[in-house]
Amino acid sequence: MNIIIVDDEANIRRTLRVALEAAGHGVREAASGAEALAELGRRPCDAALVDLRLGGESGLDLIGPLREHAPRLAVVVITAHASIGSAVEAMRRGADDYLPKPFTPAEVRAVLDRVARQRGLRDRVEALEDLVRREVPEAELDARDPAMARVLELARRVAPTDAAVLLRGESGTGKGVLARALHSWGGRAGGPFVTVSCPSLGAELLESELFGHVKGAFTGAVRDTVGKVAAAEGGTLFLDEVGDLPVALQPKLLRFLQGKRYERVGEAAERQADVRLIAATNRDLEAMVAAGTFREDLLYRLNVLEVALPPLRERSDRLELADRMLAFFAGQTGRRLSGFTAEAREAIGRHPWPGNLRELRNAVERAAILAEGPEVGLADLPGRVARGPAGPGVSNAVEVGGPVTLEELEVEHIRQVLAASASLEEAAQVLGVDPSTLFRRRRKHGL
């Protein structure tokens, strides 16, 4: 890395320079904040070692200007007057690490190794986000619809904070995509983004997934395992479909939200985590509180900032989204598709899209594969989209024995059972499948 040493003592700068150059780093020196900013103006650096006391100025006051001048610069505070208070203040102002004097060359190398790993992680996050944008058309958060544009404006305002955010909206409206965007727009973008799917596991396994466990904590626990909370250290923990969180686990999540403290399953030692929490739900949590299936105090902790995503049927940019997705899938499949026919556009505009963006994506991907001509026609769309809504007095329900596919029968049956059930577990019992299987099918069909 290219490193700048900011210290008013020439001997310290010289000693550090020898150690850093021996480790293969490029080194520049500055005796003051002004010199450091001037050096960065001439040539960028990857990291800065900044003394806490720079003659008459404070190294802490230099952290902000350095990061403004070079946002990707890693700042390590070095000091002969180490204290817990100054370390906390340095981190609060944006320092990446803190190194007390006197230090050995090995300690300097260890700190810079951590900085390099963090830098590599940020690069991987940026590469992953670019990959997501190229592989997931819904991730292009550029809405022409006024309601969705307001949602994105609100999301950008809350992203830099560390407050808990609750994303509300029907399944398939893009809550997971927006959660990742909130992470990437905030100050924790260089940290990990970790997702926990609340409906996918039972209470015991979900607790282990979330907080980790020690060897022998339960049958099958053959080794110590860190949980998703520990994996999200320094980043964001996303609780997907938090309304399906088992009642037995809700007090433990509440305790974690209150003090960022938790215990691994089978371990008495208390641990602490530095994570930002985002949760999402398609359930009416207030109704669940009234029914006694969701804790009111947990709802308040989760709902510090609320962002509600509109369903696709209420968005005025449905056809623009379909055009964007068609261009995306045409590029993926190597097809030359000029767009949708007038009949297909009319069908897309009138369909209620109960599965929202996920259903639209599946429909457009299918059409891009099946289209025989340069345009996607009505016949290339799924039957439920092509048929359109029922007229007055006519049932549009999928009927057994009717001219429908097995997939359409499955979709309608799952939709009706979910609507009549109080929880995913209850619906899974009615359908005779495991909750994780139902969760995957619901995802597949955009329910």
Side-chain angles (χ1 to χ4, degrees), residues 334-349:
R335 305 289 305 279
R336 291 187 177 182
L337 298 172
S338 57
F340 298 93
T341 64
E343 294 82 2
R345 295 183 75 82
E346 182 184 356
I348 291 170

Side-chain angles (χ1 to χ4, degrees), residues 37-307:
L37 292 172
E39 279 289 334
L40 288 177
R42 284 190 285 270
R43 193 169 38 150
C45 281
D46 301 308
L49 300 179
V50 181
D51 191 18
L52 186 65
R53 295 185 181 180
L54 292 169
E57 58 183 322
S58 168
L60 294 179
D61 294 335
L62 184 59
I63 295 173
L66 285 173
R67 298 300 291 270
E68 288 177 13
H69 195 84
R72 293 176 60 86
L73 181 73
V75 178
V76 178
V77 172
I78 56 177
T79 180
H81 308 279
S83 69
I84 294 175
S86 62
V88 170
E89 181 64 15
M91 297 304 177
R92 191 187 69 80
R93 296 199 188 194
D96 294 85
D97 217 320
Y98 185 91
L99 185 61
K101 298 178 183 176
F103 40 74
T104 66
E107 289 172 328
V108 174
R109 286 196 298 271
V111 166
L112 292 177
D113 284 344
R114 285 198 295 271
V115 167
R117 284 196 298 271
Q118 292 168 357
R119 184 181 178 87
L121 180 59
R122 282 197 296 268
D123 291 341
R124 288 196 295 275
V125 167
E126 290 175 3
L128 179 59
E129 289 175 347
D130 181 63
L131 180 64
V132 167
R133 283 191 291 270
R134 286 188 279 113
E135 296 196 356
V136 183
E138 303 97 305
E140 287 293 338
L141 294 172
D142 179 21
R144 302 294 178 88
D145 175 70
M148 191 61 191
R150 287 193 293 272
V151 166
L152 295 177
E153 180 184 358
L154 175 61
R156 287 188 181 276
R157 286 169 56 194
V158 306
T161 73
D162 264 350
V165 177
L166 180 62
L167 304 178
R168 294 185 186 247
E170 296 176 8
S171 181
T173 49
K175 299 186 293 294
V177 172
L178 186 56
R180 187 172 287 279
L182 282 166
H183 170 73
S184 66
W185 294 337
R188 295 176 176 267
F193 178 85
V194 179
T195 299
V196 176
S197 177
C198 296
S200 62
L201 298 168
E204 184 180 272
L205 290 177
L206 185 56
E207 182 181 359
S208 171
E209 172 101 342
L210 195 58
F211 299 123
H213 64 259
V214 296
K215 181 179 178 181
F218 51 84
T219 303
V222 296
R223 65 178 65 87
D224 287 3
T225 302
V226 298
K228 294 292 184 71
V229 167
E233 180 69 23
T236 300
L237 181 69
F238 175 48
L239 300 181
D240 195 15
E241 301 300 353
V242 73
D244 291 302
L245 191 73
V247 175
L249 192 51
Q250 290 177 23
K252 295 181 180 181
L253 177 61
L254 176 63
R255 179 192 176 204
F256 172 68
L257 287 172
Q258 288 173 332
K260 293 294 190 291
R261 296 179 180 277
Y262 68 99
E263 295 168 1
R264 293 195 296 180
V265 178
E267 183 180 63
E270 190 176 66
R271 296 170 181 265
Q272 190 159 5
D274 173 28
V275 300
R276 197 261 181 94
L277 191 130
I278 300 174
T281 184
N282 62 358
R283 309 281 295 275
D284 185 344
L285 296 184
E286 287 76 11
M288 294 179 65
V289 168
T293 57
F294 201 86
R295 293 180 62 115
E296 185 175 25
D297 46 5
L298 177 57
L299 173 57
Y300 291 146
R301 283 287 179 178
L302 291 170
N303 198 19
V304 176
L305 293 166
E306 178 179 318
V307 180

Side-chain angles (χ1 to χ4, degrees), residues 256-439:
F256 172 68
L257 287 172
Q258 288 173 332
K260 293 294 190 291
R261 296 179 180 277
Y262 68 99
E263 295 168 1
R264 293 195 296 180
V265 178
E267 183 180 63
E270 190 176 66
R271 296 170 181 265
Q272 190 159 5
D274 173 28
V275 300
R276 197 261 181 94
L277 191 130
I278 300 174
T281 184
N282 62 358
R283 309 281 295 275
D284 185 344
L285 296 184
E286 287 76 11
M288 294 179 65
V289 168
T293 57
F294 201 86
R295 293 180 62 115
E296 185 175 25
D297 46 5
L298 177 57
L299 173 57
Y300 291 146
R301 283 287 179 178
L302 291 170
N303 198 19
V304 176
L305 293 166
E306 178 179 318
V307 180
L309 284 77
L312 185 57
R313 63 181 173 275
E314 295 179 5
R315 292 179 59 169
S316 59
D317 58 352
R318 293 188 298 277
L319 289 172
E320 292 179 27
L321 290 169
D323 288 336
R324 185 188 302 167
M325 289 183 179
L326 182 62
F328 172 83
F329 288 117
Q332 274 208 331
T333 57
R335 305 289 305 279
R336 291 187 177 182
L337 298 172
S338 57
F340 298 93
T341 64
E343 294 82 2
R345 295 183 75 82
E346 182 184 356
I348 291 170
R350 74 185 177 222
H351 184 63
W353 300 106
N356 295 296
L357 289 171
R358 194 176 296 127
E359 183 185 3
L360 178 64
R361 175 197 167 102
N362 292 345
V364 175
E365 184 175 15
R366 174 186 189 274
I369 294 170
L370 296 180
E372 295 182 356
E375 287 185 302
V376 169
L378 198 61
D380 303 317
L381 297 172
R384 62 185 180 277
V385 178
R387 281 194 301 271
V394 179
S395 172
N396 196 40
V398 174
E399 296 181 1
V400 175
V404 295
T405 65
L406 287 173
E407 181 179 346
E408 288 174 310
L409 282 172
E410 179 182 66
V411 169
E412 185 61 26
H413 184 53
I414 293 175
R415 177 183 288 120
Q416 292 188 24
V417 171
L418 284 169
S421 302
S423 67
L424 189 78
E425 287 77 11
E426 182 181 322
Q429 285 182 343
V430 172
L431 293 167
V433 298
D434 187 85
S436 60
T437 300
L438 177 55
F439 179 75

